[in-house]
Amino acid sequence: MTDILNARQLLDHLVSFPTVSCDTNLPLIDFVRDYFAQHDIDSVVIPNEDGTKAGLVAQVGPNVTGGVALSGHSDVVPVEGQDWITDPWNVVEKDDRLYGRGTCDMKGFVALAMAAMVKAKSMDLQRPLQFSLSRDEEVGLLGAPDVAKCLLDNFAKVEAVVVGEPTKMQVVTGHKSCDDLQFHVRGQEVHSSRLHEGVSAVMCAARFVEWVRQQNIESQAKMPSATAALYDPPFTTLHVGKINGGTAHNITAKDCYFSIDLRCVGDERTEDWLAKIQAQIDIIEAEMQAVHPDTFFNIHIMRGPAVVPEVEGKAEALARRLTGDNGSHTVAYGTDGGHFQKEGFSVVICGPGSIAQAHQANEFIELTEFHAGAQMLERLLESLQTA
């Protein structure tokens, strides 16, 4: 295949790969690598530890500072349990919309970025265009540190990273942190008629979950700071979406597992919340171990750093020039952008589609949004022709 595919055709290919986070994304990565190679674009593939998944970075143009990187992720959320009216792995165009899993979040932008890379190859760029495609974004932004570091290790540093998550082409300059806290509570099994001699992991977990609920009530009741008021909702949230544990109704539960989705507003530190959480764990764990010393309350943390609005940020200024949007926007969802910012990149989130469609049955992107994304990247390519 040496033909140049347009963005719409590339989207067909990308959606056809069922890159649900629990499965491999290697066929999609191989497709991107091979397509770029056929157009004389070298890329670097970054495998994960067990080689079942990978990220990818590439560059077009001179290897000088001052370029722009386009960031997307390859994985999508599952479709099981959702009522789809179309095949989720086949793009269906209907009523000026493109339906399919990932069309909005965020293979639409990835397709546009791939098309821009190939077009850039035929242009006389004075500054480079870079491409970054991560793995496992949907399960904790796990691949973002790899691609951010790989860009720095292999190419000259860009002055701006555009993360193309769906923002309806609005220029988003900040988002909350998105930390995944995974808990394992170990109790002591006894017959429930002798519960005072055992420790129920489920009941201890439930006690902690109730504490979490109270934190949300207290946070929501407070007057938001000026920074917090930029977000919707304007306070830090802790959410328990799934809990599992126990053996039978008449046995104190030996194990219980649950997780917390922690999203901090920009002027609150994740570290402070983690200290507060640990203090509550210590209280509960001490009472558990007073009954049986082998009980515990463990926590595993996967960090998803916030994107913090920058003072005179180059990425923000670029996105405003390309889109004409001068509004002030932040979002509550997380992106790979926080990891890029941690590596010293200037970051903005701006892409086609609405986050309201992400993760939904019958996910779609409006054709007008898809075209608006293409126009933004066309303007970007023109800007890279000047030093």
Side-chain angles (χ1 to χ4, degrees):
M1 177 180 61
T2 56
D3 294 338
I4 295 178
L5 303 178
N6 61 36
R8 174 67 177 78
Q9 292 168 323
L10 287 166
L11 181 59
D12 286 341
H13 283 280
L14 295 175
V15 170
S16 72
F17 296 104
T19 50
V20 178
S21 304
C22 60
D23 299 321
T24 184
N25 71 339
L26 293 181
L28 183 147
I29 294 295
D30 290 346
F31 166 75
V32 176
R33 178 200 61 200
D34 294 345
Y35 181 69
F36 279 171
Q38 288 156 9
H39 294 284
D40 297 321
I41 300 172
D42 292 330
S43 56
V44 180
V45 174
I46 315 140
N48 67 348
E49 290 184 359
D50 62 10
T52 58
K53 298 179 184 180
L56 179 147
V57 298
Q59 176 176 276
V60 172
N63 191 39
V64 297
T65 58
V68 176
L70 304 176
S71 166
H73 62 79
S74 61
D75 57 322
V76 296
V77 297
V79 299
E80 282 75 22
Q82 295 186 331
D83 186 17
W84 282 76
I85 60 175
T86 64
D87 177 359
W89 311 116
N90 179 48
V91 179
V92 174
E93 185 172 337
K94 182 181 179 182
D95 300 328
D96 295 324
R97 294 172 173 175
L98 301 175
Y99 289 87
R101 174 56 87 220
T103 51
C104 177
D105 184 20
M106 59 180 301
K107 291 180 177 179
F109 179 80
V110 173
L112 292 167
M114 289 179 64
M117 288 285 288
V118 172
K119 184 175 181 179
K121 187 67 178 177
S122 64
M123 300 173 68
D124 183 23
L125 299 189
Q126 300 302 301
R127 295 177 290 137
L129 179 66
Q130 296 178 4
F131 175 90
S132 169
L133 187 60
S134 70
R135 59 174 173 85
D136 289 327
E137 190 271 351
E138 298 289 5
V139 290
L141 315 175
L142 302 183
D146 291 345
V147 291
K149 186 174 186 300
C150 195
L151 286 181
L152 290 174
D153 289 345
N154 288 275
F155 309 119
K157 187 177 180 181
V158 294
E159 70 174 13
V161 175
V162 178
V163 181
E165 292 278 5
T167 68
K168 300 184 73 171
M169 301 308 300
Q170 293 181 329
V171 177
V172 171
T173 58
H175 66 64
K176 294 182 179 182
S177 63
C178 183
D179 300 296
D180 182 18
L181 316 181
Q182 299 180 352
F183 294 83
H184 174 202
V185 184
R186 169 61 56 82
Q188 175 67 22
E189 288 183 314
V190 297
H191 192 280
S192 60
S193 66
R194 306 292 299 172
L195 66 85
H196 63 290
E197 298 174 353
V199 177
S200 169
V202 167
M203 294 181 72
C204 291
R207 178 179 169 186
F208 183 79
V209 171
E210 171 58 18
W211 177 84
V212 166
R213 190 179 75 88
Q214 291 296 329
Q215 301 312 299
N216 288 324
I217 292 171
E218 293 174 14
S219 294
Q220 188 170 3
K222 291 190 301 185
M223 179 68 69
S225 66
T227 299
L230 298 172
Y231 298 86
D232 182 19
F235 55 92
T236 293
T237 60
L238 297 87
H239 174 253
V240 179
K242 188 175 181 181
I243 188 166
N244 180 49
T247 304
H249 76 282
N250 58 355
I251 302 174
T252 56
K254 180 179 180 181
D255 293 291
C256 185
Y257 302 89
F258 65 97
S259 61
I260 288 179
D261 175 63
L262 171 63
R263 298 176 185 261
C264 290
V265 293
D267 59 350
E268 293 189 11
R269 298 188 335 129
T270 299
E271 288 77 11
D272 294 336
W273 272 100
L274 292 178
K276 193 174 182 180
I277 287 167
Q278 187 61 55
Q280 184 63 22
I281 288 173
D282 290 344
I283 292 171
I284 299 174
E285 188 176 61
E287 295 178 9
M288 294 165 61
Q289 293 180 350
V291 178
H292 199 284
D294 293 335
T295 58
F296 58 75
F297 208 120
N298 279 353
I299 178 174
H300 175 70
I301 304 167
M302 292 190 292
R303 298 294 298 271
V307 167
V308 180
E310 302 167 8
V311 177
E312 298 182 354
K314 291 186 176 181
E316 176 186 350
L318 170 69
R320 294 198 187 285
R321 290 196 302 270
L322 296 178
T323 65
D325 177 30
N326 291 314
S328 178
H329 310 288
T330 60
V331 293
Y333 57 83
T335 75
D336 284 344
H339 285 289
F340 281 98
Q341 204 172 53
K342 283 187 67 176
E343 291 290 346
F345 290 101
S346 178
V347 173
V348 70
I349 302 98
C350 184
S354 168
I355 196 64
Q357 306 307 324
H359 301 188
Q360 302 299 306
N362 308 307
E363 178 182 347
F364 67 83
I365 187 171
E366 300 277 1
L367 275 173
T368 54
E369 286 286 313
F370 194 64
H371 296 325
Q375 291 169 358
M376 177 183 75
L377 295 186
E378 287 174 6
R379 296 186 193 104
L380 172 61
L381 292 179
E382 292 174 3
S383 74
L384 293 174
Q385 291 183 295
T386 59

